[in-house]
Amino acid sequence: MNLAVEIENLTFFYPDGNKALDGVSFVIPERSKTVILGHNGAGKSTLLLHLNGLYTASKGRVKIFGKVINEENIREIRKKVGLVFQDPDDQLFASTIFDDVAFGPQNLELDKKEILRRVEEALKAVDMWDLRERPPHHLSLGQKKRAAIAGVLAMEPDIVVLDEPMAYLDPRGQEEITAILNRLNNEGKTVIVSTHDLDWALEWADYVVVLNAGRVVAEGDKSILTNRQLLEQNGLKAPLLVKLFEDFEGKLGIPTSLKEARQILRKFIF
Ligand SMILES: Nc1ncnc2c1ncn2[C@@H]1O[C@H](COP(=O)(O)OP(=O)(O)OP(=O)(O)O)[C@@H](O)[C@H]1O
């Protein structure tokens, strides 16, 4: 298994002395769809901000494709790891969406033609090309989130990290973002998402990391999401499918997707 990310004994203190991460170690497989789960304040955002070097470990280290992030390689790392913030207003600042998405490639000092190619491709990938002349503050939240993703895609990263991309979106907005994430993963990118929506995680993810109070409490394939006791002990709500099927455990087993649930029921009923 090739690894996109390796985190070794990462501890992080905020300037006020608050220890937000406490000896965190885990890996993220390359080309995986990974979810980072944890209740409010578990340390998800703090952790994600380490993945492209925006935060620096107080202790321990973060490796991207086998290389420890340090001052010398930070520019290279930022090309490889794109981070989409939870609040798109923290990310969008230019007077038009086009300029916003062009900002990253311009900083790479690419030629004009290449910048245009990247901006067009990124905006089309999130279905925002037609809105490119709009100022960010004239967009809906779903559109802002897609524009923020385009800004990251224009850097052509191998790893895309998104902090709670579904937060405050309606079902259609969530479906649009999920489709974008799936497409990126199908293109070979590693996609890492923090969330507390375990129903969504059960459908989408193939790798799971659970945090609580700045520590890793579980890591592995998505069978973790069928462990109701572990999830609830760590302040999370087990997926609805898991709650439903555990009543029949022994007879039916516990599915790890809606598709599997249908198969189990079909076999049992017919
Ligand atoms: N700027 C800061 N200064 C001091 N402590 C902070 C700061 N930002 C976050 N924290 C603390 O660090 C811990 C982890 O916070 P973090 O935002 O990483 O959690 P989270 O899992 O992303 O939460 P949420 O689901 O609410 O976004 C919390 O105890 C939080 O209060």
Side-chain angles (χ1 to χ4, degrees):
M1 177 168 76
N2 291 332
L3 300 176
V5 177
E6 290 160 87
I7 303 211
E8 296 172 0
N9 201 23
L10 173 62
T11 294
F12 180 77
F13 292 91
Y14 277 103
D16 65 358
N18 188 13
K19 194 197 251 184
L21 298 174
D22 186 6
V24 167
S25 298
F26 65 89
V27 299
I28 295 180
E30 195 177 343
R31 296 170 179 248
S32 63
K33 294 195 272 187
T34 292
V35 281
I36 311 286
L37 305 174
H39 61 71
N40 290 130
K44 303 181 295 299
S45 300
T46 308
L47 175 69
L48 297 188
L49 288 161
H50 281 82
L51 297 183
N52 72 348
L54 277 175
Y55 282 5
T56 306
S58 309
K59 217 176 95 192
R61 54 192 195 165
V62 177
K63 287 188 196 168
I64 303 296
F65 296 122
K67 285 196 185 135
V68 178
I69 301 181
N70 58 35
E71 272 174 33
E72 279 89 69
N73 64 17
I74 194 77
R75 267 181 78 86
E76 276 313 300
I77 295 288
R78 295 220 171 120
K79 280 190 225 165
K80 289 198 166 75
V81 185
L83 176 60
V84 181
F85 293 135
Q86 187 169 347
D87 183 352
D89 290 329
D90 289 340
Q91 198 148 348
L92 304 170
F93 61 92
S95 54
T96 67
I97 290 302
F98 186 97
D99 288 349
D100 222 298
V101 176
F103 180 78
Q106 276 160 353
N107 266 350
L108 296 179
E109 292 169 13
L110 302 168
D111 66 53
K112 221 173 168 180
K113 214 170 129 198
E114 174 64 4
I115 293 172
L116 281 176
R117 182 193 71 75
R118 285 189 180 211
V119 175
E120 183 171 348
E121 201 173 300
L123 282 170
K124 285 186 172 166
V126 298
D127 200 18
M128 287 292 291
W129 178 245
D130 292 346
L131 300 178
R132 63 190 178 278
E133 294 307 333
R134 289 258 197 109
H137 60 277
H138 286 181
L139 298 177
S140 72
L141 179 67
Q143 291 165 338
K144 280 186 194 175
K145 289 204 172 201
R146 292 193 338 250
I149 294 174
V152 162
L153 296 187
M155 300 295 279
E156 302 192 340
D158 297 313
I159 303 174
V160 183
V161 182
L162 304 99
D163 195 357
E164 300 201 27
M166 305 299 172
Y168 311 112
L169 290 183
D170 64 16
R172 186 195 284 180
Q174 294 193 3
E175 266 175 34
E176 287 165 353
I177 299 286
T178 306
I180 293 167
L181 302 187
N182 287 338
R183 216 175 317 122
L184 295 177
N185 186 250
N186 287 336
E187 287 165 8
K189 294 188 195 297
T190 307
V191 185
I192 304 169
V193 172
S194 75
T195 182
H196 1 221
D197 184 345
L198 272 66
D199 288 308
W200 180 81
L202 188 70
E203 278 306 308
W204 181 78
D206 55 26
Y207 200 75
V208 176
V209 178
V210 184
L211 290 181
N212 189 2
R215 291 167 188 257
V216 175
V217 292
E219 176 193 2
D221 68 29
K222 69 176 177 174
S223 62
I224 288 172
L225 299 174
T226 65
N227 187 341
R228 178 172 178 171
Q229 200 184 2
L230 171 111
L231 298 170
E232 290 183 352
Q233 269 168 1
N234 289 289
L236 294 163
K237 211 164 105 184
L240 209 55
L241 267 186
V242 171
K243 286 190 199 161
L244 176 66
F245 275 73
E246 73 177 4
D247 283 346
F248 308 99
E249 204 182 358
K251 269 194 175 159
L252 293 182
I254 297 184
T256 54
S257 69
L258 196 58
K259 191 173 158 199
E260 215 179 299
R262 283 200 196 98
Q263 283 166 350
I264 292 173
L265 287 178
R266 204 164 280 137
K267 226 189 272 168
F268 189 72
I269 293 169
F270 300 111

